[in-house]
Amino acid sequence: MRKSGGLALVRRIGRRVEALGRRARRSHRVAFVLLMLLQLVIAIASLAWPDLTPASFLIVPLVVGGVLLQFRELVALSAITALFGAYVVLSRGPSLPRFGFVLVLLVVGWIMITSAKVRSRLGVPGTRGESMLMELRDTLTAQGEMPTLPPGWRVEVAIQSAGGSTFSGDFVVSTVHDQVLEVALVDVSGKGIDAGTRALLLSGAFGGLLGVVPEEEFLHSANRYIRRQEWDDDFATVVHVAIDLATGEFDVRTAGHPPAIQFDAWSGRWQTRDADGPLLGLVEAPEFAVNHGQLKLGDALFLYSDGMVETPRRDIGRGTDRLAGHAERLVAQGFLGAAQELVATAGGPGDDSAIVIIHRKAHA
């Protein structure tokens, strides 16, 4: 069921990209004609009313074309703009700096053409590249939404990108099947858009694995998938938890990731749930230890990325104690809104930060 949902998502993204391409081709032709006419009007107006219409206005449609047009159309517009500019210069005589003005037009045209060539090679000319990136970002965000849980359970997720970027190398996938909640928090190597594009690829694959392969095989399957990508010096860390929503019993496994921590409502203590395992993508046949536990009424389990606890001046152990100290102040409110608050207060600005809080409420 989960796997078919992942395939449907891929097909939906493909249809959206195809529709964007069709609309782009139609709009590019219209934009090209309009910009050509605009350049002609500016050239004529510059000759008729030089004080009201400076010849430098020819640069404006050229810049707009660099954003809207495809590569070949932009080359044609740049050439015609240079011709119009040369004609205006020759017609107006020495009142206009001839060589310098034409040179500026050529330089601006070259900059626009170079940018358009890069976008054309990617197959996303004009502003469609930005639109596609925003759609992919929204897709990644949507895949991190938690499934509906039975009464008595609540899950909160918060992710903060490094440096204010809209893309993050941290992501969450989850599913509920047979009264079992599975959640995986993944941290892809790198930051910003580079990590975000790999995160998008892995989120679809890992989301398809959850609930399809046995929980004890999830990290092994994820490791095989990453190794098939043959990335150079790229890896991922994961913390994976499977919780029986009827009994509260859970299993935690990690792959090079900071350990989960559990809040015990009866004793008020915080316990680290260590489960050793290597980074995903580095070892052909890794072994992943499992840590068994149980969430009783009022208990909570915290999954988090290293951006929440590790900085150049602080190791993970001290960072985990600091995170638990921040979370201690949120016990009285039943951890409501705790994920977003902890990311804002404990997350490091220089790294992607993410946290998942699974809380078994004291009263259903």
Side-chain angles (χ1 to χ4, degrees), residues 164-215:
S165 171
T166 56
F167 286 88
S168 173
D170 295 349
F171 67 89
V172 178
V173 290
S174 60
T175 187
V176 173
H177 59 92
D178 302 326
Q179 284 294 296
V180 174
L181 169 66
E182 284 192 66
V183 180
L185 172 57
V186 185
D187 183 356
V188 179
S189 61
K191 301 175 185 176
I193 292 181
D194 290 339
T197 52
R198 291 195 296 271
L200 181 67
L201 173 66
L202 294 183
S203 66
F206 289 6
L209 290 174
L210 278 182
V212 175
V213 301
E215 61 185 64

Side-chain angles (χ1 to χ4, degrees), residues 64-122:
V64 174
V67 177
L68 298 179
L69 300 182
Q70 295 181 350
F71 177 70
R72 292 182 179 179
E73 296 166 343
L74 183 58
V75 171
L77 179 65
S78 300
I80 292 174
T81 300
L83 290 176
F84 283 169
Y87 179 76
V88 170
V89 166
L90 294 175
S91 300
R92 289 176 55 179
S95 61
L96 190 67
R98 299 183 178 184
F99 178 76
F101 176 68
V102 176
L103 180 62
V104 169
L105 287 179
L106 291 175
V107 170
V108 173
W110 176 79
I111 294 173
M112 296 295 103
I113 290 173
T114 302
S115 301
K117 186 176 182 180
V118 173
R119 293 196 299 269
S120 179
R121 290 175 60 187
L122 294 175

Side-chain angles (χ1 to χ4, degrees), residues 5-347:
L7 292 174
L9 177 63
V10 172
R11 294 192 188 99
R12 188 162 63 250
I13 294 174
R15 287 194 295 269
R16 288 184 180 180
V17 171
E18 185 178 356
L20 284 173
R22 288 195 298 267
R23 291 199 298 269
R25 286 190 290 272
R26 291 193 297 267
S27 62
H28 290 157
R29 288 192 290 269
V30 174
F32 175 67
V33 173
L34 292 177
L35 289 173
M36 291 281 287
L37 292 175
L38 181 58
Q39 290 291 57
L40 179 60
V41 170
I42 292 175
I44 295 174
S46 180
L47 291 174
W49 305 285
D51 294 332
L52 297 177
T53 312
S56 57
F57 277 10
L58 289 168
I59 295 176
V60 176
L62 185 58
V63 173
V64 174
V67 177
L68 298 179
L69 300 182
Q70 295 181 350
F71 177 70
R72 292 182 179 179
E73 296 166 343
L74 183 58
V75 171
L77 179 65
S78 300
I80 292 174
T81 300
L83 290 176
F84 283 169
Y87 179 76
V88 170
V89 166
L90 294 175
S91 300
R92 289 176 55 179
S95 61
L96 190 67
R98 299 183 178 184
F99 178 76
F101 176 68
V102 176
L103 180 62
V104 169
L105 287 179
L106 291 175
V107 170
V108 173
W110 176 79
I111 294 173
M112 296 295 103
I113 290 173
T114 302
S115 301
K117 186 176 182 180
V118 173
R119 293 196 299 269
S120 179
R121 290 175 60 187
L122 294 175
V124 284
T127 58
R128 300 306 174 184
E130 289 77 5
S131 300
M132 187 180 298
L133 285 175
M134 288 188 289
E135 289 217 9
L136 295 179
R137 178 202 61 193
D138 295 341
T139 299
L140 183 59
T141 302
Q143 288 180 345
E145 294 180 357
M146 290 292 116
T148 302
L149 301 182
W153 291 91
R154 185 177 69 247
V155 179
E156 291 189 7
V157 179
I159 298 175
Q160 177 177 275
S161 304
S165 171
T166 56
F167 286 88
S168 173
D170 295 349
F171 67 89
V172 178
V173 290
S174 60
T175 187
V176 173
H177 59 92
D178 302 326
Q179 284 294 296
V180 174
L181 169 66
E182 284 192 66
V183 180
L185 172 57
V186 185
D187 183 356
V188 179
S189 61
K191 301 175 185 176
I193 292 181
D194 290 339
T197 52
R198 291 195 296 271
L200 181 67
L201 173 66
L202 294 183
S203 66
F206 289 6
L209 290 174
L210 278 182
V212 175
V213 301
E215 61 185 64
E216 63 272 12
E217 290 296 322
F218 172 75
L219 291 181
H220 295 279
S221 300
N223 183 74
R224 287 193 294 270
Y225 180 82
I226 291 183
R227 288 187 63 83
R228 285 200 300 270
Q229 307 311 306
E230 297 182 352
W231 289 333
D232 295 331
D233 301 324
D234 288 326
F235 55 87
T237 69
V238 184
V239 54
H240 171 245
V241 60
I243 303 177
D244 188 324
L245 297 176
T247 64
E249 295 180 349
F250 64 83
D251 291 338
V252 175
R253 295 174 176 85
T254 61
H257 202 89
I261 53 176
Q262 179 182 357
F263 171 71
D264 189 323
W266 294 94
S267 65
R269 295 179 179 177
W270 296 84
Q271 179 182 359
T272 300
R273 290 292 181 177
D274 295 299
D276 294 332
L279 300 167
L280 292 187
L282 299 185
V283 182
E284 181 66 34
E287 293 295 330
F288 301 102
V290 58
N291 191 303
H292 303 282
Q294 183 179 22
L295 290 178
K296 302 180 294 296
L297 294 178
D299 289 4
L301 190 67
F302 287 65
L303 316 178
Y304 51 93
S305 63
D306 58 2
M308 294 290 299
V309 295
E310 187 178 30
T311 67
R313 298 182 180 182
R314 184 179 65 228
D315 60 24
I316 289 182
R318 293 179 58 188
T320 302
D321 293 339
R322 180 174 175 270
L323 176 62
H326 281 288
E328 183 73 37
R329 298 195 293 268
L330 306 173
V331 173
Q333 63 190 56
F335 300 110
L336 186 63
Q340 194 62 51
E341 184 171 342
L342 289 175
V343 160
T345 57

